[in-house]
Amino acid sequence: MPTPKILLVDDTKLFLELEKSFLKLSPVRVLTAGNGVEALEIIRKERPDLIYMDLNMPRMDGPTCCSILKADPALRSIPVIMVTSAGREEDIQLCRESGCDDYLTKPVSRRLFLDKGRKFLKGIDRREIRVSCSTLVKFRVHNLRFSGVSADISTGGIFVTTDYELEPATPVELSFSLPESGCVLQNIRGQVAWQNSGKHPVKPAMPPGFGVEFITPDKEIADIIDTFVQLSRQAP
């Protein structure tokens, strides 16, 4: 069976790298394009199985590219997920009018990016490499400051042990250091992915607390966390 192909279309290289990092555990071939014109050339040549396409790009924007794609009988079955830079209703309407199959709004979380993709391509892997990590985590919620201790970490998120309970999707801002690395990571944006309540734990083997999903972390921070995870896996 041929390896599935996913095309990422965005004029911002940093965002392309972020999307590529989301897919690094998936058995797929990743293609990239910087605008709609490049995307159409690649689509006609490679016939990708799934496309993530930015809304606003030079030369040819996402809605125009998607409309051309969906008007072609040979290509219209390829699913397109449009990525908007803001959740404005007019942008969402542009996505719908273009004929795209779904849409995301930036900042894009890894979990939502992969969950949207799995609707059209089951081979996308949502698993993350997680390693044990015990360090003080300071977090801010609605301008209130709290602290807890991490239990584990991955490139996509961190579990914070605390008695303070937060609802899923609650925005949080975290600061913590990585053990033995000397790196202090500050003002990392995230959102609560799940809560492990002390009274009704989802995972009894885990302590009370909540899992936080990082939201579009700075590439330098993402690289630091990834290096820590990889080194921790190799440690005896």
Side-chain angles (χ1 to χ4, degrees):
M1 182 176 179
T3 301
K5 291 178 279 192
I6 296 179
L7 174 62
L8 308 176
V9 190
D10 200 296
D11 61 314
T12 303
K13 291 184 178 180
L14 182 62
F15 195 75
L16 284 178
E17 290 302 315
L18 180 67
E19 290 183 321
K20 286 168 64 177
S21 73
F22 291 161
L23 294 165
K24 66 181 180 180
L25 295 180
S26 300
V28 298
R29 178 185 169 201
V30 178
L31 311 169
T32 62
N35 57 64
V37 175
E38 291 180 10
L40 285 174
E41 293 176 357
I42 293 173
I43 292 167
R44 288 168 177 147
K45 179 182 178 181
E46 297 285 350
R47 301 296 174 93
D49 299 280
L50 174 63
I51 302 168
Y52 289 89
M53 186 176 302
D54 189 35
L55 183 77
N56 299 304
M57 297 179 291
R59 297 187 67 189
M60 182 186 289
D61 62 18
T64 302
C65 180
C66 185
S67 296
I68 294 172
L69 172 66
K70 293 301 182 178
D72 189 329
L75 304 174
R76 65 175 54 157
S77 63
I78 301 174
V80 177
I81 300 174
M82 199 73 73
V83 183
T84 70
S85 56
R88 299 187 305 170
E89 183 57 38
E90 52 265 44
D91 286 348
I92 294 173
Q93 186 60 32
L94 279 174
C95 293
R96 293 177 179 143
E97 292 173 354
S98 72
C100 71
D101 299 271
D102 208 336
Y103 65 88
L104 286 163
T105 57
K106 297 178 182 179
V108 177
S109 72
R110 177 187 182 275
R111 178 175 56 85
L112 187 57
F113 178 91
L114 297 180
D115 283 348
K116 291 277 188 178
R118 279 181 62 85
K119 290 169 56 178
F120 308 102
L121 192 61
K122 298 303 182 185
I124 292 178
D125 198 335
R126 291 178 295 182
R127 293 176 299 172
E128 293 179 296
I129 299 171
R130 308 190 72 86
V131 297
S132 297
C133 175
S134 180
T135 189
L136 176 66
V137 179
K138 297 180 181 179
F139 58 96
R140 186 171 66 181
V141 183
H142 305 313
N143 292 321
L144 299 176
R145 298 180 181 274
F146 304 90
S147 63
V149 177
S150 64
D152 59 35
I153 191 171
S154 72
T155 54
I158 191 170
F159 185 88
V160 181
T161 301
T162 176
D163 293 327
Y164 189 76
E165 297 191 1
L166 294 174
E167 292 293 326
T170 300
V172 294
E173 188 175 272
L174 310 101
S175 297
F176 56 88
S177 61
L178 292 175
E180 301 179 8
S181 71
C183 294
V184 179
L185 309 181
Q186 298 182 337
N187 305 322
I188 301 176
R189 296 175 60 204
Q191 65 179 16
V192 176
W194 66 287
Q195 170 74 48
N196 204 45
S197 170
K199 296 179 180 178
H200 305 287
V202 177
K203 297 183 179 181
M206 294 285 289
F210 52 83
V212 174
E213 180 181 16
F214 301 140
I215 298 178
T216 55
D218 178 87
K219 186 176 186 302
E220 181 179 357
I221 290 177
D223 288 344
I224 290 172
I225 295 174
D226 184 54
T227 298
F228 174 80
V229 169
Q230 299 304 326
L231 291 176
S232 296
R233 291 182 67 208
Q234 298 170 11

